[in-house]
Amino acid sequence: MKRRQFNAGLAVAGLSVLANPLNIARAQSTRLKVGVILPRSGYLGFIGQSCQKGADLAPGVIKDMLGVDIELMNADFESNVDTARTRAERLIQEGANVIVGPFDSGAAAAIAQVAEQRGCPFVINIAAAPQITEQGYKFVFRNFQTAGDIVRNGLDLIGDLFQATNTVPRTAVYMHVNDTFGQAMTKGIGAVMPMRTQLPFKIVDTISYDPAAKDLTVEVSKAKASNADFLLLVCRLNDAIILRREMVKQRWNPMGIVSPGSPGMYEEQYYKTLGKLSEYSISNVPWYNPGAKLTKIVEKAFLKQNPKDRLEFHGLNAGFTFEAILIAADAFKRARSTDPKALADAIRQTNITEKMMLGGPIKFNAKGQVEGIGSACVQNRNLLPTVVLPATAATAKPVFPVPDYKKA
Amino acid sequence: MALGLSVIFGVVRVVNFAHGEMMTIAMYAATVLFAALKLDPFLSILPVAAAFFVFGYVLQSAVINPFITRPEHSQFMLLVAVAIIMVNGLLLVFGPDARNVQLDYQLESFEIGRILIDKARLYAAGAAVLAALGLFLFFKKTLTGKAIRACADNHLGALVVGLDVKHLYSLTFGLGAMCVAIAGCAMVLLVDVTPPLGPAYTLLAFVIVIVGGLGSMGGALLGGVLIGVSEAMAGLFITPSAKSMFSFGLLILVLLFRPQGLLGRKS
Amino acid sequence: MKKTASLAIFFAFLLLLPWFAGSYALSVATLILYLAYTGQAWNVMMGFAGQLSLGHSLYVGVGAYAAGGLFFHYGIGPWAGVWLAMLLCVALGLAIGFLAFRFGISGVYFALLTIAFAEFTRIGFDHMQWTNGPGGMFLKVAQRDSWDLLNFRGPPFMYYYAILGLCALAFLLCWYLLKSKAGYYWQAIRENEEAAQALGINTFRWKMLAVAISAAMTSVSGVFFAFYYNNLFPHEIFNIGRSIEIILGPVIGGVGTLFGPILGAVMLTLLSDGITEALAALGLEIPGIKQVFYGLVLLAVVMFLPNGIWPYLAKKLKFHA
């Protein structure tokens, strides 16, 4: 008896997963179903949850702004590429009109294929691998800088930084994580540096390290031995913390730590863990404009939903996730339909000037990539990420070199 | 930490693939105690180790014991399942953000001539040596210790002689868990803890234990030192991101040419 | 007769699946079959020859990169690429097997050896320029509407039928192997290697054969992976999580049995998705809770059905195992 019940139950469970025939026609509807796919568990869990905050506040803000109704369909791809693919399929099957996500380049590539296959528009919030918009996709759009853009903007800002603080460092030691992101950035730096002759410094040593490494003693001592003026760093959160600590233990105090564009040093955990040691670290990253009208609106909504938190710590993650949904809503308003092809065409015509992230208006080029997204020089001040450059968006003046800089 | 693994495998002959996860739990325990009672992790070692002893004992008697005679892949699966539960349980309880302990001496270092030795690492090393010494004395001098060694050497013989093998195995697992607890409390001063921290450490522990010699305490210590130094050397001379490759290469060589490890005995 | 009949019905069901399943179900089914096939390949080495390989992602990865690399750099399609993939993987497998067996390494030590090789290769590929290192290799997808078997490009159900075909072939191959001389020798070696040697069986030769077949089969899985997912990252394809994923199916389903890997893959994937759906329906969308349930079920199965689900099910359904 028990076995038969078990078999029957299994059959039912199996069939319920399988028996969902393809949607026949997409009805005209007045609300947009947005599939939000993020890594909310697994090793990318904390970033996914950060992005989710930007998604959660979107429906309210967008209703006020555009009068458009949005329904969020959240999916967790568990930091696993296979799951990203099946979850995307599931979202589309359940009627998502557009997909937003996923933060990770590998997952983005997998989802992009599903989106192309099913003809469902996919707006990428954050993913830096340049190849994603080089595949000739018609339904994939990215409102984020490619690794190449990030590097170019990052290095330019470094030049601006030195100008603004009247410093002329001659040498830098370049340390980077050896993963997808770090490698893309390194290539970018290699390509861009020779052309930026106005940058006064030379890279005297390059040290790559394993992103999962918990001990970076060797790396830091190598860096210290290079006697460079400052540290150019492409990192992630955990290794940034380990590096900073190691620098203190080894008593290495260069002019500063500057990232030409990587996560880590502006994230909440960095401040919480390092306290005042986090001060003055600089990250040149795509960021929101603190003075923009939309920023203030989003910040208010954010604080209402997360009273114990601050938008600054989720600036990049939540900001771009919000903008991705905004793009979808704006297209929906213009297309007046949830038909995927109409939506995709509408997205291609996007021209949003009232935005929150720095840079020019949101306009997609033929490859589905937004050009002209800006970066900011974000320095850690008083345990908060603070925009110090460009001057038009700055809320404080940059400090470089750091106060406890000791000439070797 | 490698000590614990060595002891468990050497005696019970079960490969504990949830080892790293257990250490992660210990680390979380230390952070909780620190947050609540401002207890220095080295002091937390006492309560956490005691708790882990019980935990290890129970885990072995209740869950793992029937698996000793089962084929390795079953054992492996069992511990993988346990590991999955542990990691995600931690995620549920503590959330994905990293936790840590903040103490002043974490960032200080001793200066001896031109060499800087950081305090936290030195203390951790001290704890490891003490633990090894303690285990060594236990196994050599006490009756229970000798009984455990008897089980490891000759399972059938031990049964014949009337030793309660099941209980002894559980004791051993408990001891192994204690080592993990000690390691965890020390580790939390060096590294921030997040739920998915475990697997990398499990792998590292295996490399150390195999190189040093399964079942040998001195071997685990020696292995630890050897791997640490070789990784540092590899990092210095070859590119640092490849230093783990070097450790695995070393593991392969040891497995091929001296599978009992440097200080182990041939089983 | 009962067995063949139910097998035929099952296969017919799988053949007709794309006609009534939605796109989501199809993608899940493709994943299941992929895991079933790779599990079956692994099973040859473990279930048949008794060698526990915990680093099987090595062959998937090398296979994927070999075929993918040829396509990426020279535009050479998968039908040619798969030969290079198999060649490389067989060579690797034989090398590992040789090192292990000649030096008398078995059991846990062998498993650790395989893990070490997989990790070593992962880090190696992270530094390899030809495969674009950690940046990942992206294969160009020319089109996805019509069936282009030569370049293996087409709609999702083309991939589904391809992997179904592979599964069927693997099943037949394993069935044949089990019935053949190799199968009996393997059983002897598995049960008691020393006794087998005493009988005059060249255990080394037969173990190497198992390793070679397993490696070759797994490499094809890698080639499929490359052309289905179209992007390869060393830390994803070589990591130990993938190796564990490969063996979950066979171990839960039943190591050494013909049907075990397939059953295991089906049950585990349905379980995983089922739990997610159930939790969503109950409104419990807390990150991490699904994996805890998954781990608990895994634990229960391993503890109470140590030989896997298939032997138990077969006995209950009165099949001859």
Side-chain angles (χ1 to χ4, degrees):
Chain A
M1 265 307 114
K2 248 185 120 179
R3 186 193 29 95
R4 220 168 278 171
Q5 283 174 348
F6 168 73
N7 280 345
L10 192 66
V12 168
L15 281 174
S16 67
V17 171
L18 294 177
N20 265 315
L22 282 163
N23 282 330
I24 305 173
R26 292 196 197 274
Q28 296 279 10
S29 59
T30 50
R31 64 178 13 206
L32 184 70
K33 289 172 122 174
V34 178
V36 179
I37 182 159
L38 293 169
R40 285 185 294 152
S41 59
Y43 75 96
L44 290 171
F46 67 98
I47 299 182
Q49 294 194 18
S50 176
C51 291
Q52 187 69 43
K53 295 192 185 192
D56 289 338
L57 61 84
V61 173
I62 292 180
K63 183 86 166 84
D64 288 337
M65 264 181 79
L66 298 174
V68 166
D69 271 316
I70 298 199
E71 182 187 321
L72 292 181
M73 298 163 68
N74 296 324
D76 172 12
F77 72 87
E78 300 164 22
S79 310
N80 177 322
V81 173
D82 294 335
T83 314
R85 199 190 183 103
T86 53
R87 289 280 117 210
E89 291 270 14
R90 181 76 164 145
L91 282 173
I92 297 177
Q93 185 170 294
E94 284 179 344
N97 305 120
V98 68
I99 306 249
V100 162
F103 180 81
D104 172 62
S105 289
I111 298 173
Q113 295 190 51
V114 174
E116 274 301 291
Q117 182 67 44
R118 302 281 163 214
C120 177
F122 174 37
V123 182
I124 299 178
N125 62 343
I126 301 170
Q131 301 100 316
I132 298 177
T133 38
E134 297 292 328
Q135 303 291 315
Y137 291 140
K138 304 269 179 308
F139 285 89
V140 176
F141 304 93
R142 165 163 50 187
N143 179 31
F144 191 73
Q145 298 183 25
T146 62
D149 295 333
I150 297 180
V151 167
R152 241 172 290 121
N153 288 327
L155 287 175
D156 285 343
L157 277 169
I158 293 185
D160 295 340
L161 173 72
F162 297 155
Q163 270 199 336
T165 56
N166 250 322
T167 50
V168 193
R170 290 271 168 234
T171 54
V173 59
Y174 173 49
M175 293 181 75
H176 71 97
V177 270
N178 196 34
D179 66 1
T180 315
F181 183 68
Q183 207 226 23
M185 296 297 286
T186 307
K187 268 207 188 137
I189 292 178
V192 172
M193 274 291 283
M195 296 195 279
R196 293 286 190 274
T197 45
Q198 75 277 26
L199 288 175
F201 65 93
K202 291 234 167 326
I203 296 181
V204 291
D205 197 5
T206 304
I207 303 172
S208 79
Y209 60 88
D210 184 351
K214 296 295 169 205
D215 173 43
L216 292 167
T217 335
V218 172
E219 288 82 351
V220 173
S221 48
K222 251 181 153 179
K224 183 178 174 189
S226 71
N227 255 329
D229 285 329
F230 75 96
L231 170 61
L232 190 66
L233 177 66
V234 168
C235 58
R236 296 215 179 253
L237 175 60
N238 290 318
D239 40 276
I241 296 177
I242 298 175
L243 271 172
R244 185 78 191 93
R245 286 215 187 107
E246 200 55 45
M247 285 169 70
V248 174
K249 286 198 253 194
Q250 296 200 24
R251 310 194 190 174
W252 181 39
N253 300 307
M255 282 172 93
I257 310 174
V258 183
S259 163
S262 67
M265 297 191 284
Y266 57 81
E267 295 184 47
E268 184 175 6
Q269 200 57 36
Y270 192 76
Y271 305 100
K272 264 180 49 190
T273 319
L274 294 172
K276 56 178 164 51
L277 289 178
S278 66
E279 284 295 276
Y280 304 119
S281 299
I282 293 179
S283 316
N284 295 338
V285 284
W287 200 254
Y288 60 79
N289 183 348
K293 201 170 100 191
L294 188 53
T295 308
K296 307 234 199 291
I297 299 176
V298 169
E299 180 159 27
K300 241 176 80 187
F302 182 87
L303 288 172
K304 210 161 127 204
Q305 281 193 350
N306 308 285
K308 296 216 188 105
D309 207 341
R310 301 205 53 150
L311 181 63
E312 283 90 337
F313 295 126
H314 304 273
L316 197 154
N317 298 333
F320 277 107
T321 311
F322 170 77
E323 274 202 350
I325 301 181
L326 178 65
I327 291 171
D330 173 76
F332 174 56
K333 185 166 178 193
R334 282 178 287 114
R336 272 187 255 271
S337 140
T338 53
D339 170 58
K341 208 154 175 315
L343 276 175
D345 289 333
I347 296 180
R348 244 184 290 277
Q349 310 291 326
T350 303
N351 190 347
I352 299 180
T353 47
E354 185 81 51
K355 54 183 258 183
M356 123 183 216
M357 309 310 279
L358 280 168
I362 303 182
K363 262 168 91 142
F364 292 100
N365 66 12
K367 294 189 186 159
Q369 174 72 40
V370 172
E371 296 167 343
I373 302 179
S375 291
C377 183
V378 177
Q379 186 167 42
N380 298 350
R381 301 281 281 276
N382 297 320
L383 302 184
L384 275 183
T386 312
V387 176
V388 295
L389 287 174
T392 46
T395 51
K397 282 214 177 332
V399 170
F400 188 87
V402 299
D404 61 352
Y405 165 54
K406 272 203 286 256
K407 214 164 167 52
Chain B
M1 176 185 60
L3 268 173
L5 194 69
S6 186
V7 164
I8 292 176
F9 187 72
V11 175
V12 186
R13 294 252 155 245
V14 166
V15 178
N16 185 11
F17 277 96
H19 210 69
E21 281 77 5
M22 284 167 66
M23 188 182 81
T24 314
I25 296 181
M27 288 170 77
Y28 269 110
T31 59
V32 165
L33 283 174
F34 180 77
L37 303 169
K38 285 273 180 279
L39 206 57
D40 182 322
F42 281 113
L43 295 176
S44 308
I45 286 182
L46 291 163
V48 178
F52 262 67
F53 179 78
V54 174
F55 172 62
Y57 190 96
V58 170
L59 190 66
Q60 163 68 16
S61 339
V63 178
I64 300 182
N65 208 33
F67 277 77
I68 303 181
T69 45
R70 300 235 190 111
E72 286 100 16
H73 59 87
S74 285
Q75 294 175 1
F76 178 67
M77 277 285 94
L78 176 76
L79 287 159
V80 163
V82 169
I84 294 179
I85 298 176
M86 283 183 185
V87 170
N88 288 287
L90 284 174
L91 181 66
L92 279 176
V93 174
F94 290 103
D97 297 326
R99 296 232 179 166
N100 67 330
V101 161
Q102 306 266 39
L103 283 171
D104 291 326
Y105 67 78
Q106 255 180 317
L107 293 167
E108 292 169 18
S109 35
F110 291 116
E111 202 164 350
I112 305 183
R114 288 219 308 182
I115 305 178
L116 294 166
I117 304 179
D118 81 73
K119 287 190 182 172
R121 285 215 173 83
L122 194 62
Y123 297 156
V129 171
L130 280 174
L133 209 60
L135 271 179
F136 182 72
L137 288 172
F138 174 76
F139 281 117
K140 258 269 154 64
K141 303 288 181 188
T142 67
L143 209 57
T144 330
K146 291 193 198 165
I148 294 180
R149 276 165 58 216
C151 292
D153 281 338
N154 193 332
H155 181 102
L156 194 58
L159 281 171
V160 166
V161 169
L163 292 173
D164 182 355
V165 175
K166 210 162 153 231
H167 166 70
L168 287 172
Y169 276 175
S170 302
L171 261 182
T172 313
F173 210 94
L175 281 174
M178 255 177 67
C179 293
V180 165
I182 298 174
C185 291
M187 198 57 136
V188 84
L189 283 166
L190 301 169
V191 171
D192 295 339
V193 59
T194 55
L197 199 63
Y201 283 105
T202 307
L203 225 45
L204 187 64
F206 274 112
V207 176
I208 294 177
V209 163
I210 301 284
V211 169
L214 281 164
S216 158
M217 261 134 288
L221 278 179
L222 180 63
V225 171
L226 202 62
I227 293 293
V229 170
S230 70
E231 282 210 346
M233 288 286 131
L236 210 54
F237 295 120
I238 327 174
T239 170
S241 46
K243 64 186 185 190
S244 301
M245 203 165 152
F246 195 77
S247 306
F248 284 112
L250 195 62
L251 176 67
I252 293 175
L253 286 174
V254 169
L255 275 175
L256 293 177
F257 297 113
R258 205 186 151 81
Q260 74 270 34
L262 294 168
L263 292 182
R265 300 157 294 148
K266 249 192 151 54
S267 57
Chain C
M1 230 16 314
K2 197 166 154 196
K3 205 164 154 201
T4 331
S6 14
L7 198 63
I9 295 177
F10 183 62
F11 190 68
F13 169 75
L14 287 176
L15 268 178
L16 296 172
L17 191 90
W19 301 110
F20 59 83
S23 54
Y24 167 63
L26 192 64
S27 68
V28 171
T30 310
L31 186 63
I32 292 179
L33 287 175
Y34 170 77
L35 288 174
Y37 173 77
T38 319
Q40 192 77 281
W42 177 85
N43 199 20
V44 171
M45 200 148 124
M46 174 68 218
F48 298 173
Q51 305 300 318
L52 177 63
S53 165
L54 291 178
H56 238 60
S57 60
L58 173 68
Y59 306 117
V60 177
V62 170
Y65 267 108
L70 280 182
F71 187 74
F72 182 78
H73 286 288
Y74 309 115
I76 300 178
W79 294 100
V82 74
W83 296 110
L84 178 66
M86 284 207 283
L87 197 69
L88 283 176
C89 286
V90 169
L92 266 175
L94 287 177
I96 297 177
F98 178 80
L99 289 172
F101 305 145
R102 268 288 172 255
F103 287 94
I105 302 175
S106 61
V108 164
Y109 294 97
F110 180 75
L112 289 169
L113 188 69
T114 56
I115 296 181
F117 268 102
E119 283 292 295
F120 187 84
T121 314
R122 176 181 66 80
I123 304 175
F125 267 80
D126 253 346
H127 290 84
M128 213 185 272
Q129 282 315 310
W130 193 73
T131 57
N132 205 27
M137 184 181 273
F138 284 71
L139 299 178
K140 261 244 187 294
V141 180
Q143 57 83 20
R144 35 175 64 82
D145 295 311
S146 51
W147 285 46
D148 175 6
L149 278 178
L150 197 62
N151 285 315
F152 207 47
R153 294 261 165 264
F157 57 84
M158 182 192 83
Y159 290 100
Y160 174 79
Y161 281 119
I163 194 77
L164 180 61
L166 274 177
C167 263
L169 282 173
F171 187 80
L172 288 171
L173 179 66
C174 290
W175 176 81
Y176 169 74
L177 284 172
L178 272 182
K179 290 268 183 291
S180 73
K181 190 162 93 171
Y184 287 111
Y185 281 176
W186 282 335
Q187 186 170 14
I189 296 174
R190 194 165 76 238
E191 304 285 321
N192 191 331
E193 187 166 346
E194 282 172 358
Q197 272 180 321
L199 279 174
I201 302 177
N202 186 345
T203 56
F204 177 73
R205 186 158 152 245
W206 292 103
K207 283 201 286 194
M208 289 293 260
L209 184 66
V211 170
I213 296 179
S214 178
M217 285 172 77
T218 315
S219 72
V220 179
S221 164
V223 175
F224 177 84
F225 185 95
F227 284 87
Y228 182 54
Y229 283 100
N230 293 306
N231 55 81
L232 304 169
F233 295 90
H235 70 88
E236 246 173 44
I237 204 170
F238 285 110
N239 84 51
I240 193 171
R242 285 234 177 247
S243 292
I244 295 179
E245 191 180 66
I246 293 174
I247 80 175
L248 276 178
V251 171
I252 297 292
V255 175
T257 66
L258 205 50
F259 211 57
I262 303 177
L263 184 66
V266 170
M267 304 224 66
L268 283 172
T269 317
L270 286 181
L271 174 74
S272 173
D273 268 39
I275 294 182
T276 312
E277 297 300 318
L279 286 175
L282 290 172
L284 280 171
E285 286 201 54
I286 316 169
I289 197 171
K290 169 247 168 110
Q291 289 95 324
V292 173
F293 276 114
Y294 185 77
L296 284 169
V297 174
L298 217 58
L299 193 65
V301 172
V302 178
M303 283 184 78
F304 299 116
L305 289 174
N307 285 323
I309 300 183
W310 174 244
Y312 173 76
L313 210 59
K315 224 165 44 168
K316 289 292 173 159
L317 292 173
K318 301 236 179 14
F319 286 147
H320 300 288

